[in-house]
Amino acid sequence: METKLYGEIAPGGKWAVPLLLLALAVYVPGLWMYPLSDSESKYAEIPREMVESGDWVQPQLDYVPYLTKPPLSFWITAAWYKLGGVDEFGARLPNAILAIALAFVLGAIARTLFGTRASTIAVVLSLTTAEFYVYTRECGVEMALLFFMALVHHCFLRWQRTERKKWLVLAWASAAGAVLAKGPMGILFPGLSIVLYLVITRQRGQFRRLFHPGGVLVFLALALPWPIAMAMRNPDFVWFAFVHETWFRVIGQRLPNDALYPTGLFLTLAAAEFFPWVQHLPHAVARGVREGRTSYEGHCIVYLLCWALVPLVVFSISKSKVDFYGLQSYPGFLLLVTWLWDKRVQGGEHAPSKTLLASTFLVSAVLAAAAWYVFAFHGKDSFVAQLDLPKQRWMVDVFLRVAFAGNLFAGLLLLLQRPRSALLSIALMMVSFFAIQQVYFVERTSSASMHFATQPYRAAMGPKTLLVTDERPEFAHLAVLPFYVNLGANSGKHPAYMLRDVNGSALRFHDRNPQKSRVIDEIDLVRWVEDGRDVFLVGDPSQTGQRLRRLGFQAVRLGAGEDRAVYRIRRK
C-alpha cells in the first residue's frame, strides 16, 4: 500500500486567537503614516481607477489599459476602497491581512502534517519572517499569490489524508485564485511541486485522480471568464499575457525589461530576506533528507522540499526576477524549519541537537556584535559608507544591539532546555526589528516619494495643465502622480507622462503595449509648451535645470523631495 500524507489532526490550538490579535497589532499599525512610494503606487492607482470608472474588468494604469497583471489583488483593494475610502491605508491593508491569513494557512498545513504544537510554531515563524513583514509595508500582488498557492497545498494534503473529493475541488478553486492573482505561475508552481512529489514518492497512480472533472470545471469556471472578457476587449491580450508577460520574462526579452537580477544576487537576497529562520534551514534540509522517502515524515519532507525548490529553481533559470520572488519558496522552507523546531520542543532521543541549534544563534550574536563594532567605530570608512544603510544611524545601532541580545538569549535558553522561551526571544527580537523598519519606511518614503509634486500641481490644475516626470527605473513608478492628483478631484481625468532620457533610455515598449502612449520625447514636450500648455515637470535637480535651459525653457522650482524637484516650465 502506498504511503500517504495522513497523520493525525489534533484539535485546534488554544493560541489561535491570541496570535491573531498579536498579528493584527504588529502588522496593521503604521500603514497610513507615509505616502505611497513610487514603486508601490501602481498597485494603489489601478484599483482607484477601477472605482472611479466603475469598470472592474479592464484594469487601467494612468487611464490606459494595463495588461501586465491579472486583477484579483486589484479587485480586493478596490473593494476596500468602496468600503473604507481611497487612501494609503486602504491600499496597503489587503497585503497585511493576506500575510496574516497566509500564516494561519501554514499553521493549518503544519497541523495536518505534524500536529497542533507544530501549527502554533508555524504561525509564529511565518509572522516573524523579515521579508513577510517588510513586503506588507507597501502594496503588492505577491501576498495574494502566496495565500492562494498555500491554499492549493493545504487542500491537496487534506485530500490525500481524507480522500474526500471536496478537498480536490477546493484545491482547483484555490488554483484559480492563484492564477487570477498573478497569472500562469499560480497553477504552474503548485502543480509542478505536487507532480514532482508524486513521482519521487512513487505515487504515479494519483496523477489521473488529480484531474477530477468537478475540480477542473470549477477551475475553468473561475479562471477563464476574466481573460475571455479581456481578449474580447483587447485583441492583443492573449499575446501580451502568455507571450510577453510569461515567455518573454523567462528568456529576458520583455520590454521594458526592468527585473533582471543575476541569479547569484537573487539567491543571496532571497536567503538574507528569510531572516532569521534561514540560519536553521541547512540543518532542517539535511535532517529531512536523512528521513528518506519511505516513512511518513520522509514523505512530508519530500513534499515541503518540492514546494520550496520548484519556484527557486524556475526563477534561477528565468532571466527575469527580483529579490522578492524568493517569497514563493518561503512557505515550504518555513514548514521545514517548523518541523525541526517541533521535534526540538517535543524532545526525546530523536530531537535535533540543542547544541547545534543553539550554536546558530550564538554565532549570529557574535556576528551582530562584530557588525555593531564596525558600524560604531568605522562607520565613516568608505566600505561602510557604500552600504545602503538608513541615514538615521540610530536604527542600525538599535537593531544590532537587539539582534545581539535576542540571539544570545535564544542560544542560552536552548542550552538550558527552554526551546519555547528561545522562540519567544527571537519573536521579540523580530518585533523590535519590525518597529525599526516601520520608522524607516516613514522617513524614507516621506522624502523619496514623488507625492510632494502633486500638491503644487493640484493648486494650478486645469484643462491646459500637464504633469510630466523624467525617466524612472520603471515606467509604472509614475502612478504615484495620477493617484494623488486625481484623489477626490472633480475636474476630469489627469494622467501623467514620462519623458525619455536623451541618451540611453530604457523605456522601450512593444508596439502592442498601450502604456507606450504615456511616454513622450523632448519634441513632444517642446510642442506642448509652444501650444500654451501649462507643463509641470518632476525631475532630478542636478540634471533637469540644465536640460530645460538647453530646450529654451524658463523654469520655476515649486518644491522638492529627497532627490527630485518639480518645475513649472514656459518658453523664455
Side-chain angles (χ1 to χ4, degrees):
M1 181 177 177
E2 294 175 335
T3 304
K4 297 180 181 177
L5 295 178
Y6 285 169
E8 293 299 325
I9 300 179
K14 62 180 180 180
W15 292 104
V17 173
L19 282 173
L20 175 60
L21 296 176
L22 286 171
L24 291 171
V26 171
Y27 271 70
V28 174
L31 294 175
W32 60 84
M33 294 177 64
Y34 47 98
L36 294 175
S37 69
D38 299 349
S39 60
E40 69 173 317
S41 58
K42 64 182 176 183
Y43 302 114
E45 172 60 7
I46 293 170
R48 190 201 66 79
E49 292 186 25
M50 278 186 173
V51 173
E52 180 184 83
S53 67
D55 184 355
W56 291 53
V57 175
Q58 170 70 77
Q60 294 186 76
L61 175 62
D62 204 25
Y63 300 105
V64 294
Y66 181 77
L67 309 179
T68 302
K69 288 183 174 63
L72 183 58
S73 292
F74 307 141
W75 288 341
I76 295 171
T77 304
W80 176 259
Y81 284 170
K82 295 285 284 186
L83 293 172
V86 182
D87 54 20
E88 297 90 349
F89 177 71
R92 297 178 179 127
L93 181 64
N95 227 16
I97 297 300
L98 284 167
I100 296 171
L102 171 65
F104 282 88
V105 172
L106 296 183
I109 295 173
R111 184 173 65 243
T112 299
L113 298 179
F114 309 120
T116 301
R117 181 179 55 242
S119 174
T120 303
I121 295 172
V123 174
V124 171
L125 264 59
S126 180
L127 293 173
T128 54
T129 299
E131 184 63 8
F132 279 172
Y133 179 84
V134 171
Y135 188 81
T136 61
R137 298 307 88 193
E138 296 186 331
C139 322
V141 300
E142 299 297 322
M143 280 301 163
L145 174 66
L146 293 178
F147 172 74
F148 281 102
M149 288 201 303
L151 278 181
V152 174
H153 290 289
H154 172 57
C155 294
F156 171 77
L157 293 173
R158 292 283 288 167
W159 171 70
Q160 279 242 306
R161 178 189 181 270
T162 64
E163 297 195 346
R164 297 177 66 181
K165 293 180 180 179
K166 74 170 186 178
W167 288 110
L168 197 54
V169 173
L170 288 173
W172 280 101
S174 302
V179 168
L180 288 172
K182 208 177 176 184
M185 71 172 64
I187 192 170
L188 176 67
F189 286 168
L192 284 177
S193 302
I194 290 170
V195 168
L196 184 60
Y197 157 74
L198 293 176
V199 170
I200 293 174
T201 55
R202 298 176 181 174
Q203 299 184 65
R204 296 177 180 86
Q206 299 276 21
F207 287 160
R208 186 173 300 176
R209 298 179 62 202
L210 286 175
F211 293 92
H212 182 271
V216 174
L217 286 174
V218 167
F219 172 82
L220 295 176
L222 293 174
L224 283 186
W226 177 77
I228 290 173
M230 285 291 290
M232 293 174 65
R233 290 193 184 192
N234 304 275
D236 291 328
F237 172 75
V238 174
W239 174 88
F240 203 89
F242 294 99
V243 179
H244 183 268
E245 289 299 316
T246 304
W247 177 241
F248 279 6
R249 281 184 181 271
V250 173
I251 63 177
Q253 292 185 9
R254 177 185 181 269
L255 294 178
N257 211 337
D258 43 33
L260 292 175
Y261 275 44
T263 297
L265 177 62
F266 163 70
L267 293 174
T268 300
L269 292 175
E273 291 164 0
F274 193 49
F275 178 80
W277 309 115
V278 64
Q279 56 193 328
H280 296 305
L281 189 56
H283 187 183
V285 172
R287 186 180 179 91
V289 170
R290 288 200 300 270
E291 290 290 334
R293 63 180 184 181
T294 56
S295 67
Y296 165 74
E297 284 196 341
H299 270 217
C300 295
I301 302 309
V302 169
Y303 189 89
L304 298 178
L305 283 173
C306 291
W307 181 355
L309 291 178
V310 162
L312 207 60
V313 171
V314 171
F315 283 126
S316 296
I317 296 171
S318 172
K319 298 287 185 182
S320 180
K321 51 185 170 285
V322 292
D323 59 325
F324 58 78
Y325 287 2
L327 283 168
Q328 297 176 37
S329 292
Y330 290 1
F333 284 142
L334 277 169
L335 290 169
L336 274 172
V337 178
T338 294
W339 167 72
L340 187 74
W341 272 93
D342 180 58
K343 294 184 77 67
R344 179 63 260 171
V345 172
Q346 181 182 1
E349 60 177 320
H350 297 296
S353 166
K354 66 176 183 179
T355 304
L356 185 58
L357 281 177
S359 66
T360 60
F361 286 130
L362 296 176
V363 168
S364 295
V366 171
L367 292 175
W372 178 86
Y373 174 83
V374 171
F375 180 76
F377 296 101
H378 299 278
K380 296 183 179 180
D381 292 355
S382 59
F383 76 95
V384 176
Q386 292 175 359
L387 300 176
D388 185 20
L389 297 175
K391 293 184 177 180
Q392 300 295 331
R393 297 175 63 87
W394 68 265
M395 296 184 190
V396 180
D397 180 80
V398 170
F399 169 68
L400 292 176
R401 290 171 183 263
V402 171
F404 168 75
N407 281 288
L408 178 63
F409 289 148
L412 294 177
L413 287 166
L414 275 171
L415 292 175
L416 293 173
Q417 302 278 22
R418 301 284 298 276
R420 292 182 176 85
S421 298
L423 274 176
L424 178 61
S425 176
I426 296 300
L428 292 174
M429 177 189 78
M430 292 308 297
V431 170
S432 301
F433 170 73
F434 295 163
I436 294 170
Q437 279 291 317
Q438 180 66 38
V439 175
Y440 172 66
F441 268 94
V442 171
E443 295 194 357
R444 185 201 68 176
T445 308
S446 299
S447 60
S449 170
M450 287 194 291
H451 162 260
F452 74 91
T454 62
Q455 298 170 11
Y457 182 81
R458 282 176 65 97
M461 191 164 60
K464 290 191 174 184
T465 54
L466 289 168
L467 186 55
V468 182
T469 177
D470 64 0
E471 188 167 323
R472 308 304 299 143
E474 182 183 340
F475 168 78
H477 286 188
L478 63 62
V480 69
L481 299 175
F483 180 87
Y484 285 108
V485 164
N486 294 284
L487 195 60
N490 297 314
S491 56
K493 300 174 181 178
H494 292 265
Y497 298 86
M498 187 169 288
L499 177 63
R500 294 183 192 271
D501 286 344
V502 179
N503 299 312
S505 174
L507 287 176
R508 296 180 296 120
F509 291 89
H510 284 288
D511 290 338
R512 300 181 181 186
N513 193 333
Q515 294 174 342
K516 69 182 189 305
S517 65
R518 293 296 187 238
V519 178
I520 65 171
D521 297 302
E522 287 184 350
I523 189 172
D524 302 301
L525 185 66
V526 171
R527 186 182 69 253
W528 285 346
V529 175
E530 290 180 344
D531 289 345
R533 306 299 295 269
D534 193 4
V535 179
F536 290 70
L537 176 63
V538 186
D540 181 347
S542 65
Q543 301 175 12
T544 302
Q546 181 180 357
R547 185 178 194 179
L548 293 176
R549 286 191 296 272
R550 177 175 56 80
L551 294 173
F553 293 152
Q554 179 180 341
V556 178
R557 180 165 163 167
L558 302 178
E562 182 178 61
D563 58 354
R564 319 276 290 152
V566 57
Y567 301 85
R568 193 172 190 173
I569 59 179
R570 297 183 178 89
R571 269 293 180 192
K572 289 184 179 179

